[in-house]
Amino acid sequence: MSGSILSYLGAASVALWGAAHLVPTRNVVAGFGDISLDNKRILAMEWITEGVALLFMGVLVGTVTWLDRESAVSVAVFCLTSGALLALATVSLFTGFRVSFLPYKLCPVIFGASAALILAGAFIA
């Protein structure tokens, strides 16, 4: 499988998971029950921020893959994005993975798999 395909797969999985964060934001906040308005706003802000960050990572990786996957800047983007995803996977493993709601358990798997695809895409011809 070519490196470009792997990079695009990693980019797409990150971007889709980011979009998947944005869609249910209202329901996620409502699921926390009767909390203060400030807490609802903070929760919504953090949920949206993660979704936008994931979308950005996916679009960034996809864009540098399309422009010039083999440039030094592209390889740096791939490595830095993968590092960020692995950091998010670690945080998710010790937080969201421990709750009973299945989508939270998927975060470390999706982040880790996406990071692996992006890194493989960076170093496979």
Side-chain angles (χ1 to χ4, degrees):
M1 187 175 288
S2 83
S4 292
I5 292 171
L6 294 172
S7 294
Y8 284 130
L9 286 172
S13 64
V14 171
L16 289 172
W17 197 242
H21 273 72
L22 297 177
V23 173
T25 300
R26 184 178 310 234
N27 290 335
V28 168
V29 173
F32 278 82
D34 189 25
I35 58 176
S36 72
L37 182 59
D38 281 347
N39 285 340
K40 288 179 182 182
R41 288 177 176 156
I42 290 168
L43 184 59
M45 177 186 70
E46 294 302 325
W47 195 261
I48 292 167
T49 299
E50 183 171 346
V52 170
L54 293 171
L55 274 169
F56 174 77
M57 286 185 218
V59 169
L60 180 64
V61 168
T63 301
V64 299
T65 300
W66 179 65
L67 292 174
D68 184 4
R69 182 180 64 87
E70 296 176 0
S71 75
V73 171
S74 294
V75 172
V77 165
F78 296 147
C79 291
L80 292 169
T81 301
S82 295
L85 287 168
L86 291 173
L88 289 173
T90 302
V91 170
S92 295
L93 187 64
F94 291 104
T95 56
F97 190 74
R98 300 169 80 183
V99 301
S100 60
F101 190 55
L102 178 63
Y104 290 121
K105 292 181 178 293
L106 295 176
C107 284
V109 175
I110 292 171
F111 295 157
S114 297
L117 286 167
I118 292 167
L119 280 177
F123 297 107
I124 292 177

